[in-house]
C-alpha cells in the first residue's frame, strides 16, 4: 500500500507477494476520517451537548450548539490524529490498531500531521469566533494535554497513564458549560470529575481484553503489570467513587428529582457489573471467564444515559 501522494511501484508487495494496489479516493477519505477516531468523538460530544442543555436550563440556541459541536469535533479529531502519528510504531503491532491508516500506509505521517494541525486551527477559530474565548482555550488545552502529556509523556511510562492522561477527555463537560455561560462553576467541575473517575474502569476493561497487545509493545497499562484480580479491585474502587461523585451533582446544582433517581439506578447497575467482573477475576486470568468487554460496553451505556439524564433534568423540572 502506498502513501498518499506517492506512486505505486511493482516492488511494493503485500504479504502474499502480490503488488499492493494504490488506495482509491474512498479509501483515502475513509482513512482520514478514521484518523480522527469518530467513535471517541461521539463519546466526547455526548458529554458536551447535554451539559449545554443543563447550563441553559432548557434548550440552548441552535447556532451555539452547532458551533460548539463542530469546534469540539475538530478539536477531538485533531488530538486523535496527533496520537495516531506519534503511536504509529506500536499501532502497527497491535491487533486492535493495525488496520488504522498509518500502519496500512494509506496516509503518510507528514500528511496526517498537516491534517491534525488544520483541524486544531479550525477548531480554535470556530470556538473563539462563534462560541467564546474561554471555550476555545479549554479545547486547545485539552488537545495539548492529550498529545503532550498523555500520548508523549505518560502512555509508555506509567501504569497511571490513563488515570491522569484521561483528564483530557473530561474537558468537554467544561466546554459545554462555558459555551453557554461564559464562565466556570462547581456544576461542570462535578461532571468533569464523573468522567475522570469513569475513565479508568472503562479503559482498563478494554486494556484487559487486549493486554497481550500492550505487553508486546511495552505499554505498561495496568492489566499488563498487575493481575486481573487487582485490575478488578481497582475498577470497583473507581466505580464507587464515580457513582458517589455523580450523586453530588444533585445538591451542588440543585437538580430536580429525575437526575438523582437516574444516577442512582444507573450507578447501581454499573456497580453490579463491576463487582461481577471482579468476582470472575479473583481466581483466573482467563479472559473468556472474566469477560472484560461486558464492563467496557456497560460503561459506554452508563455514561451515555447519565448525560442524557443531565440534559433532560431541566426540561422535566421547568
Amino acid at each position: 500500500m502506498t502513501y498518499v501522494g506517492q506512486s505505486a511501484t511493482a516492488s511494493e508487495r503485500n504479504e502474499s507477494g502480490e503488488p499492493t494496489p494504490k488506495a482509491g479516493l474512498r479509501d483515502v477519505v475513509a482513512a482520514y476520517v478514521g484518523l480522527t477516531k469518530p467513535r471517541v468523538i461521539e463519546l466526547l460530544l455526548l458529554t458536551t451537548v447535554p451539559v449545554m442543555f443543563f447550563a441553559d436550563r432548557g434548550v440552548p440556541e441552535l447556532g451555539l450548539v452547532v458551533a460548539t459541536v463542530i469546534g469540539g469535533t475538530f478539536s477531538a479529531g485533531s488530538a486523535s490524529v496527533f496520537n495516531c502519528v506519534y503511536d504509529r510504531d506500536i499501532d502497527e503491532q497491535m491487533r486492535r490498531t493495525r488496520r488504522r491508516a498509518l500502519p496500512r500506509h494509506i496516509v503518510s505521517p507528514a500528511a496526517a500531521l498537516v491534517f491534525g494541525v488544520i483541524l486544531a486551527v479550525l477548531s480554535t477559530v470556530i470556538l473563539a469566533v462563534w462560541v467564546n474565548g474561554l471555550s476555545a482555550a479549554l479545547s486547545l488545552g485539552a488537545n495539548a494535554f492529550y498529545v503532550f502529556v498523555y500520548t508523549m509523556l505518560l502512555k509508555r511510562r506509567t501504569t497511571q497513564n490513563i488515570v491522569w492522561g484521561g483528564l483530557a477527555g473530561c474537558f468537554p463537560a467544561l466546554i459545554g458549560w462555558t459555551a453557554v455561560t461564559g464562565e466556570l462553576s462547581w456544576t461542570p467541575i462535578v461532571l468533569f470529575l464523573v468522567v475522570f473517575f469513569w475513565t479508568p474502569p472503562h479503559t482498563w476493561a478494554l486494556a484487559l481484553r487486549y493486554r497481550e497487545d500492550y505487553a508486546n509493545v511495552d505499554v505498561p497499562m495496568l492489566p499488563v503489570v498487575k493481575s486481573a484480580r487487582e485490575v478488578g479491585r481497582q475498577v470497583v474502587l473507581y466505580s464507587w467513587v464515580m457513582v458517589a461523585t455523580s450523586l453530588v451533582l444533585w445538591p451542588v446544582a440543585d437538580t430536580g428529582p429525575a437526575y438523582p433517581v437516574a444516577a442512582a439506578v444507573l450507578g447501581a447497575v454499573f456497580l453490579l457489573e463491576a463487582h461481577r467482573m471482579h468476582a470472575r477475576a479473583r481466581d483466573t486470568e482467563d479472559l473468556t471467564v472474566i469477560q472484560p468487554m461486558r464492563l467496557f460496553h456497560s460503561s459506554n451505556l452508563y455514561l451515555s444515559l447519565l448525560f442524557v439524564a443531565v440534559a433532560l433534568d431541566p426540561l422535566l423540572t421547568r
Side-chain angles (χ1 to χ4, degrees):
M1 191 69 71
T2 60
Y3 287 141
V4 173
Q6 294 179 334
S7 60
T9 67
S11 62
E12 294 170 340
R13 300 177 180 275
N14 58 26
E15 294 178 356
S16 64
E18 296 297 325
T20 303
K22 185 176 180 180
L25 178 61
R26 178 180 295 182
D27 294 326
V28 173
V29 171
Y32 275 99
V33 172
L35 285 172
T36 67
K37 302 180 183 178
R39 296 186 68 177
V40 174
I41 292 175
E42 289 175 9
L43 197 59
L44 294 176
L45 293 180
L46 187 64
T47 58
T48 304
V49 177
V51 177
M52 296 182 72
F53 277 73
F54 197 77
D56 193 82
R57 306 306 298 177
V59 181
E61 180 187 345
L62 178 60
L64 181 63
V65 174
V66 171
T68 305
V69 166
I70 294 175
T73 296
F74 286 172
S75 179
S78 169
S80 293
V81 172
F82 292 140
N83 174 265
C84 287
V85 171
Y86 189 82
D87 279 348
R88 63 188 184 277
D89 58 330
I90 60 176
D91 282 351
E92 193 165 3
Q93 301 176 56
M94 297 175 64
R95 288 174 299 165
R96 188 173 65 87
T97 57
R98 65 177 55 153
R99 299 299 297 168
R100 288 176 178 172
L102 290 173
R104 293 172 62 200
H105 306 297
I106 297 178
V107 179
S108 73
L113 191 61
V114 171
F115 180 51
V117 170
I118 291 173
L119 290 178
V121 171
L122 287 175
S123 166
T124 304
V125 170
I126 290 169
L127 291 173
V129 173
W130 285 286
V131 183
N132 57 58
L134 180 55
S135 296
L138 288 170
S139 180
L140 188 60
N143 190 328
F145 190 92
Y146 183 77
V147 175
F148 294 108
V149 178
Y150 170 66
T151 301
M152 299 179 68
L153 180 63
L154 298 176
K155 183 174 180 179
R156 306 192 193 200
R157 289 179 171 86
T158 172
T159 59
Q160 297 301 299
N161 49 17
I162 197 60
V163 176
W164 301 110
L167 281 169
C170 306
F171 273 76
L174 303 182
I175 294 167
W177 183 270
T178 58
V180 173
T181 67
E183 61 184 13
L184 289 170
S185 72
W186 283 110
T187 296
I189 290 174
V190 171
L191 292 169
F192 176 99
L193 290 173
V194 170
V195 181
F196 175 75
F197 292 119
W198 168 88
T199 301
H202 168 77
T203 308
W204 285 336
L206 183 67
L208 186 58
R209 167 65 179 83
Y210 291 100
R211 62 184 175 186
E212 291 184 4
D213 272 359
Y214 287 108
N216 289 337
V217 294
D218 296 321
V219 174
M221 298 294 287
L222 186 68
V224 173
V225 300
K226 297 292 183 180
S227 66
R229 179 174 183 170
E230 176 60 18
V231 173
R233 186 184 73 83
Q234 294 206 33
V235 162
V236 167
L237 289 176
Y238 273 94
S239 298
W240 273 100
V241 177
M242 175 194 71
V243 173
T245 304
S246 73
L247 293 172
V248 170
L249 187 68
W250 179 19
V252 167
D254 191 26
T255 72
Y259 172 79
V261 170
V265 172
L266 291 170
V269 173
F270 188 87
L271 286 172
L272 179 62
E273 187 58 46
H275 277 279
R276 282 176 172 172
M277 192 190 87
H278 184 209
R280 294 192 296 267
R282 281 177 182 166
D283 301 313
T284 183
E285 294 289 324
D286 187 347
L287 295 180
T288 61
V289 175
I290 299 172
Q291 301 178 62
M293 294 304 288
R294 284 186 53 174
L295 182 69
F296 175 78
H297 294 305
S298 295
S299 67
N300 284 330
L301 184 61
Y302 167 83
L303 197 70
S304 301
L305 294 180
L306 183 74
F307 274 81
V308 167
V310 168
L312 292 178
D313 184 82
L315 301 178
L316 297 175
T317 56
R318 293 176 67 179

